[in-house]
């Protein structure tokens, strides 16, 4: 049985669920069939503000039509605050750089998993192949309690030791 193609009429109110489980509701602002790009205009956090969401059709798992276009469709682009766009872009770049710095391609998967486990509760960074916790405690290969560098903060050492032991246990690694 063939499925009915989705009607992406400009101005239609729809609800969408993506293949990642995200749900969005808004008005179709644009649909470009050659690129399978759907542009959805969503209500913003307060009156007069809208969010514009770009979605590839192949990332959408479900579309529910809420209502057909009402009267004349307004195709004016919403105004943008260039300052806000710039600020959001800088924040996104900072977050992306921070996430990229959390990945160390020169260590094993186990070392990366240990790092990720520790960094969930404490600020950690890579310095070469060493994990640095709170800019105070260095953990060298093989990333166990016996591979700490000298650290005068015994409270931190004890706390990290418990976390490291739990992380190694969870990952089925020797303590």
């Amino acid at each position: 049985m063939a499925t009915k193609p989705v009607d992406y009429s400009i101005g239609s109110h729809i609800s969408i669920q993506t293949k990642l489980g995200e749900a969005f509701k808004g008005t179709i602002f644009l649909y470009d069939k050659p690129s399978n790009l759907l542009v959805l205009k969503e209500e913003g956090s307060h009156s007069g503000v809208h969010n514009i969401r770009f979605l590839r059709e192949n990332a959408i798992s479900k579309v529910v039509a809420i209502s057909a276009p009402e009267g004349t469709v307004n195709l004016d682009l919403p105004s943008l605050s260039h300052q806000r766009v710039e600020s959001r872009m800088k924040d996104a770049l900072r977050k992306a750089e921070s996430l990229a710095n959390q990945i160390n391609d020169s260590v094993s998967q186990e070392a990366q998993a240990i790092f990720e486990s520790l960094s969930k509760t404490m600020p950690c960074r890579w310095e070469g192949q060493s994990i640095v916790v709170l800019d105070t405690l260095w953990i060298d290969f093989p990333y166990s309690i016996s591979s700490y560098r000298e650290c005068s903060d015994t409270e931190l050492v004890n706390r990290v030791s418990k976390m490291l032991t739990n992380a190694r246990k969870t990952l089925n690694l020797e303590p």
Side-chain angles (χ1 to χ4, degrees), residues 37-145:
L37 181 69
L38 175 68
V39 180
L40 192 65
K41 182 179 175 182
E42 302 172 307
E43 290 300 317
S45 57
H46 54 279
S47 179
V49 175
H50 296 89
N51 295 322
I52 303 294
R53 188 168 304 274
F54 294 79
L55 299 157
R56 291 267 181 217
E57 190 175 22
N58 61 0
I60 299 171
S61 63
K62 183 178 180 183
V63 177
V64 176
I66 297 172
S67 66
E70 300 167 1
T72 306
V73 178
N74 180 1
L75 295 177
D76 291 338
L77 286 171
S79 63
L80 294 175
S81 162
H82 292 288
Q83 185 178 12
R84 185 158 185 245
V85 169
E86 186 77 23
S87 172
R88 289 179 73 182
M89 183 181 73
K90 286 179 182 177
D91 286 347
L93 281 173
R94 253 191 313 276
K95 287 177 185 175
E97 286 172 355
S98 176
L99 286 173
N101 289 335
Q102 302 277 316
I103 299 169
N104 189 337
D105 292 333
S106 65
V107 298
S108 67
Q109 289 179 342
E110 290 84 7
Q112 184 64 45
I114 289 169
F115 177 91
E116 289 168 4
S117 180
L118 292 174
S119 67
K120 287 178 184 175
T121 56
M122 287 193 217
C124 296
R125 64 180 171 83
W126 285 107
E127 189 173 282
Q129 292 191 356
S130 298
I131 298 172
V132 183
V133 182
L134 291 169
D135 288 326
T136 306
L137 176 63
W138 275 253
I139 308 170
D140 297 320
F141 178 83
Y143 312 103
S144 64
I145 295 169

Side-chain angles (χ1 to χ4, degrees), residues 4-65:
K4 181 181 172 190
V6 177
D7 178 20
Y8 289 121
S9 297
I10 305 297
S12 295
H13 298 280
I14 61 172
S15 174
I16 291 177
Q17 183 161 5
T18 69
K19 291 180 180 175
L20 296 174
E22 300 167 305
F24 306 109
K25 189 184 289 188
T27 305
I28 297 176
F29 189 77
L30 173 104
Y31 175 65
D32 182 50
K33 187 157 181 68
S35 64
N36 291 319
L37 181 69
L38 175 68
V39 180
L40 192 65
K41 182 179 175 182
E42 302 172 307
E43 290 300 317
S45 57
H46 54 279
S47 179
V49 175
H50 296 89
N51 295 322
I52 303 294
R53 188 168 304 274
F54 294 79
L55 299 157
R56 291 267 181 217
E57 190 175 22
N58 61 0
I60 299 171
S61 63
K62 183 178 180 183
V63 177
V64 176

